[in-house]
Amino acid sequence: MAKIGQIELGEFPLLLAPMEDVSDPPFRAVCKENGADLMYTEFISSEGLIRDAAKSRQKLDIFEYERPIGIQLFGGDIGNMVQSAEIAAAARPDLIDINYGCPVKAVACRGAGAALLQDIPKMVKMTAEIVKSTSLPVTVKTRLGWDESTKNILEVAERLQDIGIQALSIHGRTRVQMYKGEADWTLIGQVKENPRIQIPIFGNGDIDTPQKALEYKNRYGVDGVMIGRAAIGYPWIFREIKEYLRTGQVAPPPTMAERVQATKKHFEFSIRWKGDRLGVFEMRRHYTNYFKGVPDFKPFRMRLVEAPTEADVLAILDEVADTYASVGVAV
């Protein structure tokens, strides 16, 4: 049984990775419905929270059905990170997660995210101060290291555990790799095998099929896997992995009716949470993913991204369901 503090997550939990402009409440809702065991908010700027920036504050929105859920924070200033953790705790998440893995320039070049992999003493001090400031479990997401010559995750894991984090998620790439190439899970496995490590270790990177999830579970011994890009437009990845782990059978892919239903749920939640204009606009990025691989779908996609209102979008989605209903096969 994997546990973070007193939070029980099951035998082999599947985690939804925190992804900027993706892991918002509407997206989390469809992932939870399909089996995600632990989810995180989009990563939230500590400076934004302290400035009371509207966008940062909105990312604190969590809902009871999402539990357990963590709020993820990033920043380069220790005092600001401690203060933002206190603000985040007031939103009543189940845990606080610290982002030491984001590789994008806008974050890393400000001394936050993966930049802390170049300053382990500061990372340890920042984490220790946050752990002391809250009664919530504190977890960390990070990478193997900054570059090929500084893969320091074995040291990082021990030092962060020693100052009180209660779980560690590791992406199998360095910061320099960004999201290119293949994730290397070898060091993730070595962290898990280290007899000093007693906290749950979750692996992240390139888990995009049920078969790979089982293979990596057996090969590297991780306590669970974190899934990011493979869940975008395909929340069924969670149920498919669970079915495969349980039975060894590959679950059938979602039908068109299921694709339309999930898209509608995501879209309607987006309207309620973001408002009509923004909800319609920001949903446009998701249609390609929800209907990826569907034959002859391009005309519908073009209409969906041009549709100006909620009613227009829902009408087109109904038309999609009707058009493909007679096919009756999963795609």
Side-chain angles (χ1 to χ4, degrees), residues 129-148:
E129 292 300 315
I130 293 171
V131 169
K132 286 189 293 185
S133 74
T134 181
S135 60
L136 292 171
V138 175
T139 63
V140 163
K141 184 172 190 286
T142 189
R143 290 184 168 232
L144 301 179
W146 180 260
D147 56 25
E148 285 296 312

Side-chain angles (χ1 to χ4, degrees), residues 2 9-14 37 213 217 222-225 241-242 245:
L9 298 174
E11 291 299 322
F12 189 74
L14 307 180
D37 295 300
K217 173 182 183 288
V222 291
D223 296 284
V225 294
I241 290 174
K242 286 188 171 183
L245 293 177

Side-chain angles (χ1 to χ4, degrees), residues 294-306 316 320 324:
V294 175
D296 304 317
F297 192 76
K298 184 176 179 180
F300 282 116
R301 181 179 63 80
M302 295 303 294
R303 290 171 59 195
L304 284 167
V305 299
E306 293 171 357
I316 296 169
V320 169
Y324 288 91

Side-chain angles (χ1 to χ4, degrees), residues 262-273:
T263 306
K264 278 188 173 183
K265 180 170 184 173
H266 190 161
F267 174 67
E268 289 170 341
F269 197 150
S270 293
I271 294 292
R272 295 197 307 271
W273 190 61

Side-chain angles (χ1 to χ4, degrees), residues 39 44 154 193 249:
M39 305 186 296
I44 305 174
L154 297 174
E193 292 169 3
Q249 301 297 313

Side-chain angles (χ1 to χ4, degrees), residues 84 114 124 138 161 175 205 216 237:
S84 67
V124 171
V138 175
Q161 176 184 260
R175 187 272 169 178
Y216 282 27
I237 185 73

